[in-house]
């Protein structure tokens, strides 16, 4: 059952990508992508329920879905579905119909590589999947073919490839450390690393872990390796920004979570967690500075992603069931909320014809309904109740207070307040400051561009008011997986 | 681990091949001419292929011969060819604005190698005689990482940056041949193909850079800041 769901999960984006490239009809490509994405979302939830009973394996154990992998798959599928619906409305505005099939082909390919990364049981193949996400998304980042987007694409691929090569080095060193315990040749699975880690020479283990952390941390956008992120997020088309921020960062976080769980229980446990907490709080700090002084609307969203990936790192670093649950709940909530924010930013950019916050004024006059959703989303992403991010940030904070890193929990609260004020100040200006005088061209809402905003907003509100018990069970299961090693 | 029973002759073959690869990285670091980078990279790849083959022969891993052939073919011929094509199309022959003069980058590179040695020395705890080969492999792996990043940092031209990334990967490849010759074949082959795709992507991007950004020097890619 789980195996057939898995095949369906991968077949859908493959078919959509092949159709887009082969038939070259923009309309067909749009609908095929939306259909594949919605199908993936529908499949991902029962897949999660299935693997709760025990992990599913395929292809000689190269593919293995555990609960953590399935959870990230759910988060990625949600963003894939929302972003492809939004893309139908947004990409038509660009007036580049003839290049749309290529766009959708790459779009589905991008989703495919991220989903693939979640189920890879072999550490080397996981690295390759993450590398492939970079190569495909580079062309999505540079899709608008302006000087800025080409520059962003170039910086993206150079910085991320350089960073990810550190992760490869770390992986090789992990394998070497394991080979001294398990014999010269063994299958490089997560379970094997778990088994070998306690007997590996501790300094070697620490260096390997730090290399992997910096490598996947580059891809996840942890500061100070985040430099590609604001450029890539701000210059790509809005649906791609949502995918980069809401889905790709999760897939890289998955790698960090898994390696962190490998070193758990060894003598380097404390150092490793402290390093993750350190990167988390530093990302939060950098993001808060740049959010306060930001002038570009999508760069504002991008730095907010750095902030929220920092929260997830903090949750994982604080550890314990509470920390892991908070980080994973945050992953879902951030995926929903950031998609909503990028969709709103895309609408505003198209209507006002600018990326500058100072030129966007009186948003509610232009977008009465979707503008309201965007504003509520901004309140949510700044961490205010009753939206879901409040609950998950609060959980991470509780985990922090109970952990040895109480200083980080205190810094977390202070920085949250800074971000709250800084982020919402920009929105106050955009919504309530005086209009600049010139006539703003009205951009009709468009069902394709408003619907995904509703679809992101409603669960965000519901999850903020009610944390389903089922989710809690999923998180408890994952945290057991991470702490007890692979079964 | 096979290095536990390695005899002095084998140890010196591995060491000399690895050290020559490191020296070629310094050749890249000390030159202004883009063509020289590519030649040095090609020779380095051939040396790594020879290393794979000799490790395969002495340690008894016949599958490493496949890796050796593929390395020589892809990294030694196809990648340099693709890079030469990019250079020819760009009509850029040398680095124009060096952040650091080649002489200073050589000195900096030497310091980084020492740093790499210090780290490598701390990471190793092998009791056997050939432990110096392990330390050397780790040192060269890490120093090629550092040197690659140094090249990325001080060079502006797009081609130099691609080569910097390739040096990063060459370092890992070289070290892994000595340290973990038993690593599954599949992984290494896929990583080789992956590199090919990387360079193809870079080739396309370089073309976009010329057309849309009007430059291939990262010095002028300064629109996006803050």
């Amino acid at each position: 059952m789980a195996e057939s769901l898995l095949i369906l999960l991968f077949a859908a984006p493959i078919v959509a990508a092949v159709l887009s490239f082969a038939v070259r009809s923009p309309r067909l490509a749009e609908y095929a992508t939306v259909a594949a994405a919605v199908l993936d979302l529908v499949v991902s939830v029962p897949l999660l329920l299935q693997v709760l009973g025990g992990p599913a394996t395929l292809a000689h154990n190269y593919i293995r879905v555990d609960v953590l992998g399935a959870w990230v798959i759910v988060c990625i599928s949600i963003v894939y579905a929302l972003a492809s619906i939004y893309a139908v409305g947004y990409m038509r505005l660009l007036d580049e119909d003839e290049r749309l099939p290529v766009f959708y082909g790459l779009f589905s390919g991008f989703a495919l590589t991220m989903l693939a990364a979640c189920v890879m049981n072999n550490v080397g193949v996981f690295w390759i999947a993450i590398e492939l996400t970079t190569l495909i998304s580079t062309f999505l980042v540079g899709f608008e073919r302006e000087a800025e987007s080409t520059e962003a694409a170039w910086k993206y691929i150079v910085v991320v490839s350089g960073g990810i090569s550190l992760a490869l080095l770390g992986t090789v060193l992990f394998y070497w450390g394991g080979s001294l315990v398990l014999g010269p040749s063994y299958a490089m699975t997560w379970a094997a690393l778990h088994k070998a880690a306690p007997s590996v020479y501790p300094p070697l283990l620490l260096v390997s872990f730090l290399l992997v952390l910096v490598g996947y941390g580059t891809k996840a956008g942890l500061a100070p390796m985040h430099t590609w992120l604001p450029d890539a997020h701000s210059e790509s088309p809005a649906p791609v920004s949502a995918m980069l921020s809401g889905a790709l960062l999760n897939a890289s976080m998955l790698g960090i979570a898994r390696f962190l769980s490998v070193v758990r229980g060894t003598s380097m446990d404390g150092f490793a967690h402290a390093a993750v907490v350190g990167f988390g709080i530093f990302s939060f700090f950098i993001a808060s500075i740049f959010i306060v002084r930001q002038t570009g609307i999508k760069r504002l969203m991008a730095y907010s992603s750095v902030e929220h990936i920092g929260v997830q790192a903090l949750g994982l670093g604080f550890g314990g069931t509470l920390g892991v649950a908070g980080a994973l709940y945050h992953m879902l909530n951030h995926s929903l909320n950031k998609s909503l924010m990028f969709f709103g930013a895309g609408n505003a950019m198209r209507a006002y014809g600018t990326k500058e916050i100072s030129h966007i004024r009186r948003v509610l006059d232009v977008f009465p309904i979707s503008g309201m959703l965007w504003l509520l989303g901004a309140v949510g992403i700044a961490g205010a109740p009753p939206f879901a991010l409040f609950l998950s940030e609060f959980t991470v904070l509780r985990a922090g207070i109970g952990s040895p890193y109480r200083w980080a929990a205190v810094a977390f609260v202070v920085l949250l307040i800074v971000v709250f004020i800084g982020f919402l100040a920009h929105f106050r200006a955009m919504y309530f400051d005086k209009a600049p005088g010139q006539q703003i061209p009205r951009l009709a809402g468009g069902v394709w561009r408003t619907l995904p905003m509703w679809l992101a907003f409603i669960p965000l509100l519901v999850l903020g008011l009610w944390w389903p018990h089922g989710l809690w069970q999923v998180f408890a299961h994952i945290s057991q997986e991470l702490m007890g090693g692979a079964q | 681990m096979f290095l536990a029973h390695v005899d002095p002759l084998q140890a010196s073959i591995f060491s000399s091949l690895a050290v020559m690869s490191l020296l070629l990285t310094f050749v890249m670091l000390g030159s202004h001419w883009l063509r020289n980078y590519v030649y040095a990279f090609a020779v380095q790849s051939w040396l790594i292929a020879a290393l794979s083959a000799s490790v395969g022969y002495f340690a008894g891993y016949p599958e490493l011969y496949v890796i050796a052939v593929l390395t020589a073919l892809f990294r030694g011929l196809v990648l340099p060819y693709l890079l030469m094509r990019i250079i020819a199309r760009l009509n850029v022959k040398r680095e124009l604005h060096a952040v650091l003069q080649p002489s200073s980058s050589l000195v900096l590179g030497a310091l980084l190698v020492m740093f790499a040695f210090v780290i490598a020395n701390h990471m190793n705890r092998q009791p056997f005689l050939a432990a110096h080969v392990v330390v050397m492999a780790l040192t060269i792996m890490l120093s090629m990482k550092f040197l690659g990043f140094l090249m990325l940092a001080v060079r502006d031209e797009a081609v130099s940056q691609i080569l910097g990334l390739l040096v990063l990967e060459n370092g890992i490849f070289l070290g892994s041949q000595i340290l973990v010759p038993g690593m599954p074949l599949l992984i290494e082959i896929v990583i080789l193909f992956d590199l090919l795709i990387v360079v193809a992507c870079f080739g396309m991007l370089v073309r976009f850079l010329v057309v849309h950004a009007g430059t291939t020097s990262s010095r002028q890619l300064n629109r996006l800041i803050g």
Side-chain angles (χ1 to χ4, degrees), chain B residues 45-91:
Chain B
S45 307
W46 283 90
L47 286 175
I48 293 176
L51 182 72
S52 300
S54 56
V55 171
Y57 177 74
F58 288 121
Y61 289 101
E63 69 266 26
L64 282 186
Y65 295 137
V66 182
I67 302 280
V69 172
L70 288 178
T71 308
L73 202 67
F74 280 135
R75 296 186 179 224
L77 290 176
V78 178
L79 292 190
Y81 170 73
L82 289 176
L83 289 170
M84 282 300 192
R85 261 187 38 176
I86 295 177
I87 292 179
R89 195 164 56 213
L90 288 186
N91 214 6

Short mmCIF file of all heavy atoms in Angstrom, two decimals, chain B residues 45-91:
data_model
loop_
_atom_site.label_atom_id
_atom_site.label_comp_id
_atom_site.label_asym_id
_atom_site.label_seq_id
_atom_site.Cartn_x
_atom_site.Cartn_y
_atom_site.Cartn_z
N SER B 45 43.18 15.97 -13.12
CA SER B 45 42.21 14.89 -13.24
C SER B 45 42.87 13.60 -13.69
O SER B 45 42.53 12.52 -13.21
CB SER B 45 41.12 15.28 -14.24
OG SER B 45 40.57 16.50 -13.89
N TRP B 46 43.87 13.72 -14.60
CA TRP B 46 44.58 12.52 -15.04
C TRP B 46 45.34 11.90 -13.88
O TRP B 46 45.37 10.68 -13.72
CB TRP B 46 45.54 12.85 -16.18
CG TRP B 46 44.82 13.01 -17.47
CD1 TRP B 46 44.31 14.16 -17.98
CD2 TRP B 46 44.49 11.97 -18.39
NE1 TRP B 46 43.68 13.91 -19.17
CE2 TRP B 46 43.78 12.57 -19.45
CE3 TRP B 46 44.72 10.60 -18.41
CZ2 TRP B 46 43.30 11.84 -20.52
CZ3 TRP B 46 44.24 9.88 -19.50
CH2 TRP B 46 43.53 10.49 -20.53
N LEU B 47 45.94 12.74 -13.04
CA LEU B 47 46.65 12.21 -11.88
C LEU B 47 45.69 11.48 -10.94
O LEU B 47 46.02 10.41 -10.40
CB LEU B 47 47.33 13.35 -11.12
CG LEU B 47 48.57 13.93 -11.78
CD1 LEU B 47 49.07 15.11 -10.97
CD2 LEU B 47 49.64 12.87 -11.88
N ILE B 48 44.51 12.06 -10.78
CA ILE B 48 43.54 11.40 -9.89
C ILE B 48 43.10 10.07 -10.48
O ILE B 48 42.94 9.07 -9.77
CB ILE B 48 42.34 12.33 -9.63
CG1 ILE B 48 42.81 13.53 -8.81
CG2 ILE B 48 41.24 11.60 -8.89
CD1 ILE B 48 41.76 14.54 -8.57
N ALA B 49 42.97 10.05 -11.81
CA ALA B 49 42.62 8.78 -12.46
C ALA B 49 43.72 7.75 -12.21
O ALA B 49 43.44 6.59 -11.88
CB ALA B 49 42.43 9.00 -13.95
N ALA B 50 44.98 8.19 -12.32
CA ALA B 50 46.09 7.27 -12.06
C ALA B 50 46.05 6.78 -10.62
O ALA B 50 46.30 5.60 -10.34
CB ALA B 50 47.42 7.97 -12.35
N LEU B 51 45.71 7.69 -9.73
CA LEU B 51 45.61 7.31 -8.32
C LEU B 51 44.53 6.25 -8.12
O LEU B 51 44.75 5.23 -7.45
CB LEU B 51 45.31 8.55 -7.48
CG LEU B 51 45.23 8.33 -5.99
CD1 LEU B 51 46.61 8.08 -5.43
CD2 LEU B 51 44.60 9.52 -5.31
N SER B 52 43.35 6.49 -8.73
CA SER B 52 42.27 5.50 -8.62
C SER B 52 42.76 4.15 -9.09
O SER B 52 42.55 3.12 -8.44
CB SER B 52 41.07 5.88 -9.47
OG SER B 52 40.56 7.09 -9.09
N ALA B 53 43.42 4.15 -10.26
CA ALA B 53 43.86 2.88 -10.82
C ALA B 53 44.86 2.20 -9.90
O ALA B 53 44.77 0.99 -9.66
CB ALA B 53 44.46 3.11 -12.21
N SER B 54 45.80 2.98 -9.35
CA SER B 54 46.82 2.32 -8.53
C SER B 54 46.23 1.82 -7.21
O SER B 54 46.60 0.75 -6.73
CB SER B 54 48.02 3.24 -8.30
OG SER B 54 47.59 4.44 -7.73
N VAL B 55 45.30 2.60 -6.64
CA VAL B 55 44.64 2.10 -5.43
C VAL B 55 43.87 0.84 -5.77
O VAL B 55 43.91 -0.17 -5.04
CB VAL B 55 43.68 3.17 -4.84
CG1 VAL B 55 42.85 2.56 -3.73
CG2 VAL B 55 44.47 4.33 -4.31
N GLY B 56 43.20 0.84 -6.90
CA GLY B 56 42.44 -0.34 -7.31
C GLY B 56 43.35 -1.54 -7.45
O GLY B 56 43.01 -2.65 -7.03
N TYR B 57 44.55 -1.32 -8.01
CA TYR B 57 45.48 -2.42 -8.25
C TYR B 57 46.04 -2.95 -6.93
O TYR B 57 45.99 -4.15 -6.66
CB TYR B 57 46.61 -1.93 -9.15
CG TYR B 57 47.67 -2.98 -9.40
CD1 TYR B 57 47.41 -4.04 -10.25
CD2 TYR B 57 48.91 -2.89 -8.79
CE1 TYR B 57 48.37 -5.01 -10.49
CE2 TYR B 57 49.87 -3.85 -9.01
CZ TYR B 57 49.60 -4.91 -9.87
OH TYR B 57 50.54 -5.87 -10.09
N PHE B 58 46.53 -2.03 -6.09
CA PHE B 58 47.21 -2.48 -4.88
C PHE B 58 46.24 -2.98 -3.81
O PHE B 58 46.54 -3.88 -3.05
CB PHE B 58 48.06 -1.36 -4.29
CG PHE B 58 49.28 -1.07 -5.12
CD1 PHE B 58 49.49 0.18 -5.66
CD2 PHE B 58 50.20 -2.07 -5.37
CE1 PHE B 58 50.60 0.45 -6.42
CE2 PHE B 58 51.32 -1.82 -6.14
CZ PHE B 58 51.52 -0.56 -6.66
N ALA B 59 45.07 -2.35 -3.73
CA ALA B 59 44.16 -2.72 -2.65
C ALA B 59 43.15 -3.76 -3.09
O ALA B 59 42.39 -4.25 -2.27
CB ALA B 59 43.44 -1.47 -2.15
N GLY B 60 43.16 -4.08 -4.38
CA GLY B 60 42.27 -5.12 -4.84
C GLY B 60 40.82 -4.69 -4.96
O GLY B 60 39.93 -5.39 -4.50
N TYR B 61 40.61 -3.52 -5.55
CA TYR B 61 39.25 -3.09 -5.85
C TYR B 61 39.12 -2.92 -7.36
O TYR B 61 39.36 -1.82 -7.87
CB TYR B 61 38.92 -1.76 -5.18
CG TYR B 61 38.77 -1.83 -3.70
CD1 TYR B 61 39.79 -1.44 -2.86
CD2 TYR B 61 37.58 -2.28 -3.13
CE1 TYR B 61 39.65 -1.51 -1.49
CE2 TYR B 61 37.43 -2.35 -1.76
CZ TYR B 61 38.47 -1.96 -0.94
OH TYR B 61 38.33 -2.03 0.41
N PRO B 62 38.79 -4.00 -8.08
CA PRO B 62 38.78 -3.87 -9.55
C PRO B 62 37.82 -2.80 -10.04
O PRO B 62 38.03 -2.20 -11.10
CB PRO B 62 38.37 -5.27 -10.03
CG PRO B 62 37.89 -5.99 -8.84
CD PRO B 62 38.46 -5.35 -7.63
N GLU B 63 36.75 -2.50 -9.26
CA GLU B 63 35.79 -1.51 -9.76
C GLU B 63 36.40 -0.11 -9.85
O GLU B 63 35.90 0.75 -10.55
CB GLU B 63 34.53 -1.49 -8.90
CG GLU B 63 34.69 -0.96 -7.49
CD GLU B 63 34.95 -2.08 -6.49
OE1 GLU B 63 35.48 -3.14 -6.91
OE2 GLU B 63 34.65 -1.90 -5.30
N LEU B 64 37.53 0.07 -9.16
CA LEU B 64 38.16 1.40 -9.25
C LEU B 64 38.74 1.65 -10.64
O LEU B 64 38.95 2.80 -11.03
CB LEU B 64 39.25 1.54 -8.19
CG LEU B 64 38.75 1.82 -6.78
CD1 LEU B 64 39.90 2.09 -5.85
CD2 LEU B 64 37.80 3.00 -6.77
N TYR B 65 39.01 0.57 -11.40
CA TYR B 65 39.47 0.80 -12.78
C TYR B 65 38.41 1.54 -13.58
O TYR B 65 38.71 2.43 -14.39
CB TYR B 65 39.80 -0.54 -13.46
CG TYR B 65 40.97 -1.27 -12.83
CD1 TYR B 65 40.91 -2.63 -12.61
CD2 TYR B 65 42.13 -0.59 -12.46
CE1 TYR B 65 41.97 -3.30 -12.03
CE2 TYR B 65 43.18 -1.25 -11.88
CZ TYR B 65 43.11 -2.61 -11.65
OH TYR B 65 44.14 -3.26 -11.07
N VAL B 66 37.15 1.13 -13.35
CA VAL B 66 36.05 1.82 -14.06
C VAL B 66 36.06 3.30 -13.70
O VAL B 66 35.96 4.17 -14.57
CB VAL B 66 34.70 1.19 -13.65
CG1 VAL B 66 33.57 1.84 -14.41
CG2 VAL B 66 34.73 -0.31 -13.88
N ILE B 67 36.21 3.55 -12.39
CA ILE B 67 36.23 4.94 -11.94
C ILE B 67 37.39 5.68 -12.60
O ILE B 67 37.25 6.82 -13.06
CB ILE B 67 36.41 5.00 -10.41
CG1 ILE B 67 35.29 4.25 -9.72
CG2 ILE B 67 36.48 6.44 -9.94
CD1 ILE B 67 34.03 4.98 -9.61
N ALA B 68 38.55 5.00 -12.68
CA ALA B 68 39.72 5.65 -13.26
C ALA B 68 39.45 6.04 -14.70
O ALA B 68 39.73 7.18 -15.12
CB ALA B 68 40.93 4.72 -13.17
N VAL B 69 38.87 5.10 -15.46
CA VAL B 69 38.60 5.40 -16.88
C VAL B 69 37.61 6.56 -16.98
O VAL B 69 37.81 7.51 -17.75
CB VAL B 69 38.06 4.15 -17.58
CG1 VAL B 69 37.59 4.49 -18.98
CG2 VAL B 69 39.13 3.08 -17.62
N LEU B 70 36.54 6.49 -16.16
CA LEU B 70 35.53 7.54 -16.25
C LEU B 70 36.10 8.89 -15.83
O LEU B 70 35.80 9.92 -16.43
CB LEU B 70 34.34 7.19 -15.35
CG LEU B 70 33.45 6.05 -15.86
CD1 LEU B 70 32.36 5.77 -14.85
CD2 LEU B 70 32.84 6.41 -17.19
N THR B 71 36.95 8.88 -14.80
CA THR B 71 37.56 10.14 -14.36
C THR B 71 38.40 10.73 -15.46
O THR B 71 38.29 11.93 -15.77
CB THR B 71 38.45 9.90 -13.12
OG1 THR B 71 37.70 9.21 -12.15
CG2 THR B 71 38.95 11.20 -12.55
N ALA B 72 39.26 9.89 -16.06
CA ALA B 72 40.11 10.40 -17.12
C ALA B 72 39.27 10.95 -18.26
O ALA B 72 39.56 12.01 -18.82
CB ALA B 72 41.04 9.30 -17.61
N LEU B 73 38.20 10.23 -18.57
CA LEU B 73 37.38 10.61 -19.72
C LEU B 73 36.62 11.91 -19.44
O LEU B 73 36.71 12.88 -20.20
CB LEU B 73 36.41 9.47 -20.00
CG LEU B 73 35.84 9.42 -21.40
CD1 LEU B 73 36.94 9.08 -22.38
CD2 LEU B 73 34.74 8.37 -21.46
N PHE B 74 35.89 11.91 -18.30
CA PHE B 74 35.03 13.06 -18.03
C PHE B 74 35.82 14.27 -17.55
O PHE B 74 35.76 15.34 -18.13
CB PHE B 74 33.98 12.71 -16.99
CG PHE B 74 32.83 11.95 -17.55
CD1 PHE B 74 32.32 10.84 -16.91
CD2 PHE B 74 32.26 12.35 -18.75
CE1 PHE B 74 31.27 10.14 -17.44
CE2 PHE B 74 31.21 11.65 -19.30
CZ PHE B 74 30.71 10.54 -18.64
N ARG B 75 36.58 14.03 -16.46
CA ARG B 75 37.26 15.18 -15.88
C ARG B 75 38.49 15.56 -16.67
O ARG B 75 38.89 16.70 -16.67
CB ARG B 75 37.69 14.85 -14.46
CG ARG B 75 36.54 14.62 -13.57
CD ARG B 75 37.05 14.46 -12.18
NE ARG B 75 35.91 14.25 -11.33
CZ ARG B 75 35.77 14.85 -10.16
NH1 ARG B 75 36.69 15.64 -9.70
NH2 ARG B 75 34.70 14.64 -9.45
N GLY B 76 39.10 14.55 -17.29
CA GLY B 76 40.35 14.84 -18.00
C GLY B 76 40.12 15.33 -19.41
O GLY B 76 40.98 16.03 -19.95
N LEU B 77 39.01 14.95 -20.04
CA LEU B 77 38.81 15.35 -21.44
C LEU B 77 37.55 16.18 -21.65
O LEU B 77 37.62 17.29 -22.17
CB LEU B 77 38.74 14.09 -22.33
CG LEU B 77 40.06 13.35 -22.49
CD1 LEU B 77 39.85 12.08 -23.30
CD2 LEU B 77 41.10 14.23 -23.16
N VAL B 78 36.40 15.64 -21.22
CA VAL B 78 35.15 16.32 -21.58
C VAL B 78 35.02 17.66 -20.87
O VAL B 78 34.74 18.69 -21.52
CB VAL B 78 33.94 15.41 -21.25
CG1 VAL B 78 32.66 16.12 -21.59
CG2 VAL B 78 34.04 14.11 -22.01
N LEU B 79 35.25 17.67 -19.56
CA LEU B 79 35.11 18.94 -18.85
C LEU B 79 36.08 20.01 -19.35
O LEU B 79 35.67 21.14 -19.61
CB LEU B 79 35.28 18.75 -17.33
CG LEU B 79 34.19 17.95 -16.61
CD1 LEU B 79 34.39 18.06 -15.12
CD2 LEU B 79 32.83 18.45 -16.98
N PRO B 80 37.39 19.68 -19.52
CA PRO B 80 38.28 20.70 -20.06
C PRO B 80 37.84 21.18 -21.43
O PRO B 80 37.90 22.38 -21.73
CB PRO B 80 39.63 19.99 -20.14
CG PRO B 80 39.56 18.94 -19.11
CD PRO B 80 38.14 18.50 -19.07
N TYR B 81 37.32 20.25 -22.25
CA TYR B 81 36.85 20.66 -23.57
C TYR B 81 35.71 21.66 -23.45
O TYR B 81 35.70 22.71 -24.11
CB TYR B 81 36.42 19.42 -24.36
CG TYR B 81 35.69 19.75 -25.64
CD1 TYR B 81 36.38 20.25 -26.73
CD2 TYR B 81 34.32 19.56 -25.73
CE1 TYR B 81 35.71 20.57 -27.90
CE2 TYR B 81 33.64 19.87 -26.89
CZ TYR B 81 34.34 20.38 -27.97
OH TYR B 81 33.66 20.70 -29.11
N LEU B 82 34.74 21.32 -22.57
CA LEU B 82 33.60 22.23 -22.39
C LEU B 82 34.07 23.59 -21.88
O LEU B 82 33.61 24.64 -22.34
CB LEU B 82 32.60 21.64 -21.40
CG LEU B 82 31.80 20.44 -21.87
CD1 LEU B 82 30.94 19.91 -20.74
CD2 LEU B 82 30.94 20.81 -23.05
N LEU B 83 35.03 23.57 -20.96
CA LEU B 83 35.53 24.84 -20.40
C LEU B 83 36.24 25.65 -21.47
O LEU B 83 36.07 26.87 -21.56
CB LEU B 83 36.48 24.55 -19.24
CG LEU B 83 35.80 24.03 -17.99
CD1 LEU B 83 36.81 23.54 -16.99
CD2 LEU B 83 34.96 25.14 -17.37
N MET B 84 37.01 24.95 -22.31
CA MET B 84 37.70 25.66 -23.39
C MET B 84 36.69 26.31 -24.33
O MET B 84 36.90 27.41 -24.83
CB MET B 84 38.57 24.68 -24.18
CG MET B 84 39.87 24.34 -23.48
SD MET B 84 40.86 25.82 -23.22
CE MET B 84 42.41 25.11 -22.75
N ARG B 85 35.60 25.61 -24.57
CA ARG B 85 34.58 26.18 -25.44
C ARG B 85 33.99 27.44 -24.82
O ARG B 85 33.76 28.44 -25.51
CB ARG B 85 33.47 25.16 -25.68
CG ARG B 85 33.63 24.45 -26.99
CD ARG B 85 32.47 23.57 -27.32
NE ARG B 85 31.19 24.15 -26.93
CZ ARG B 85 30.03 23.57 -27.20
NH1 ARG B 85 30.00 22.43 -27.83
NH2 ARG B 85 28.90 24.13 -26.83
N ILE B 86 33.75 27.37 -23.51
CA ILE B 86 33.20 28.56 -22.85
C ILE B 86 34.20 29.71 -22.97
O ILE B 86 33.83 30.85 -23.30
CB ILE B 86 32.90 28.27 -21.37
CG1 ILE B 86 31.81 27.23 -21.25
CG2 ILE B 86 32.49 29.54 -20.65
CD1 ILE B 86 31.50 26.82 -19.82
N ILE B 87 35.49 29.42 -22.75
CA ILE B 87 36.51 30.47 -22.82
C ILE B 87 36.56 31.06 -24.22
O ILE B 87 36.60 32.28 -24.41
CB ILE B 87 37.89 29.91 -22.42
CG1 ILE B 87 37.89 29.55 -20.94
CG2 ILE B 87 38.98 30.93 -22.70
CD1 ILE B 87 39.19 28.98 -20.46
N ALA B 88 36.53 30.18 -25.21
CA ALA B 88 36.61 30.66 -26.59
C ALA B 88 35.42 31.57 -26.90
O ALA B 88 35.56 32.60 -27.55
CB ALA B 88 36.63 29.47 -27.55
N ARG B 89 34.26 31.19 -26.40
CA ARG B 89 33.07 31.97 -26.72
C ARG B 89 33.09 33.32 -26.01
O ARG B 89 32.60 34.31 -26.52
CB ARG B 89 31.84 31.17 -26.31
CG ARG B 89 30.57 31.69 -26.90
CD ARG B 89 29.47 30.69 -26.79
NE ARG B 89 29.25 30.27 -25.43
CZ ARG B 89 28.85 29.05 -25.09
NH1 ARG B 89 28.66 28.14 -26.01
NH2 ARG B 89 28.66 28.74 -23.83
N LEU B 90 33.68 33.32 -24.81
CA LEU B 90 33.64 34.55 -24.03
C LEU B 90 34.66 35.57 -24.50
O LEU B 90 34.52 36.74 -24.24
CB LEU B 90 33.94 34.24 -22.57
CG LEU B 90 32.85 33.53 -21.83
CD1 LEU B 90 33.23 33.42 -20.38
CD2 LEU B 90 31.57 34.29 -21.97
N ASN B 91 35.71 35.07 -25.14
CA ASN B 91 36.74 35.99 -25.58
C ASN B 91 37.42 36.69 -24.40
O ASN B 91 37.76 37.86 -24.50
CB ASN B 91 36.13 37.02 -26.54
CG ASN B 91 37.13 37.42 -27.59
OD1 ASN B 91 38.22 36.83 -27.63
ND2 ASN B 91 36.79 38.38 -28.40
#
